[in-house]
Amino acid sequence: MTVIQLNAAVDNSTVAAEKTPGQELPELLAIANQEAQASGLTYAGSVAPEDAWKLFVGGQAHLIDVRTAEERKFVGHVPNTLHIAWQTGPALIKNPRFLRELENKLPKDAVILFLCRSGKRSAAAATTATNAGFTRVFNVREGFEGDLDERQQRGAVSGWRQRGLPWVQD
């Protein structure tokens, strides 16, 4: 297993103390929620990878990787995160157990950050979770590998790895 460290220390001073269920969201999630409402998103909002990391290591949010098990193994993943695949198999069929697995792992009022390759599957997962009654669900913008570059490849433009955030590879 390869561990990739942060390029710079994470400043946790901006991360507020963990809120109990039903209380206000941390400030950066409250801002994301306001932006989501203004733009008509059906889920609570979207956050930048750096903000997702701060919330996760600060204990204010659960980070759930919704990519396939193969992507996590061969591309890498954020350490100590939950994994619930949004799609499975070579045909990437929607996981029929997704909501059941989510409900078994977290309460519906938990602050949840979904992460995928580019931010598209995690946005779909956030919409589905919200429609099922999860109330504080956010998407991690840019995903783990980021946007496509001019050669139509990922990993060089944006995303969790490109931003130097911690990740491991089996």
Side-chain angles (χ1 to χ4, degrees):
M1 179 177 288
T2 304
V3 178
I4 308 301
Q5 297 296 326
L6 278 174
N7 290 337
V10 174
D11 177 12
N12 287 323
S13 64
T14 59
V15 180
E18 183 173 355
K19 304 286 183 182
T20 56
Q23 287 187 333
E24 290 183 28
L25 290 170
E27 184 177 352
L28 64 94
L29 289 181
I31 293 167
N33 188 244
Q34 291 169 354
E35 292 170 354
Q37 290 175 1
S39 63
L41 289 179
T42 58
Y43 49 90
S46 295
V47 297
E50 296 89 348
D51 291 337
W53 175 248
K54 288 178 186 177
L55 291 162
F56 177 60
V57 298
Q60 296 181 287
H62 300 275
L63 185 58
I64 299 181
D65 191 332
V66 299
R67 297 174 302 149
T68 66
E70 294 81 9
E71 285 175 291
R72 283 177 53 92
K73 179 174 179 62
F74 297 113
V75 178
H77 62 275
V78 180
N80 302 316
T81 55
L82 295 172
H83 176 238
I84 304 173
W86 173 247
Q87 296 171 316
T88 60
L92 293 178
I93 304 297
K94 185 179 173 206
N95 178 2
R97 298 173 309 282
F98 178 79
L99 284 173
R100 189 170 347 124
E101 291 178 38
L102 182 59
E103 289 168 345
N104 287 335
K105 291 184 180 188
L106 296 171
K108 290 196 173 188
D109 62 355
V111 177
I112 301 170
L113 309 172
F114 286 126
L115 176 71
C116 71
R117 179 183 62 190
S118 66
K120 290 180 178 65
R121 283 178 282 173
S122 51
T127 297
T128 296
T130 299
N131 291 341
F134 285 85
T135 58
R136 304 191 307 170
V137 179
F138 295 82
N139 179 34
V140 179
R141 288 191 300 266
E142 304 172 7
F144 189 75
E145 294 182 69
D147 299 320
L148 294 170
D149 64 15
E150 65 281 349
R151 296 181 329 229
Q152 300 301 299
Q153 296 179 342
R154 297 189 191 279
V157 176
S158 58
W160 191 279
R161 289 186 348 177
Q162 178 64 22
R163 295 189 180 282
L165 296 166
W167 62 282
V168 296
Q169 187 168 18
D170 295 338

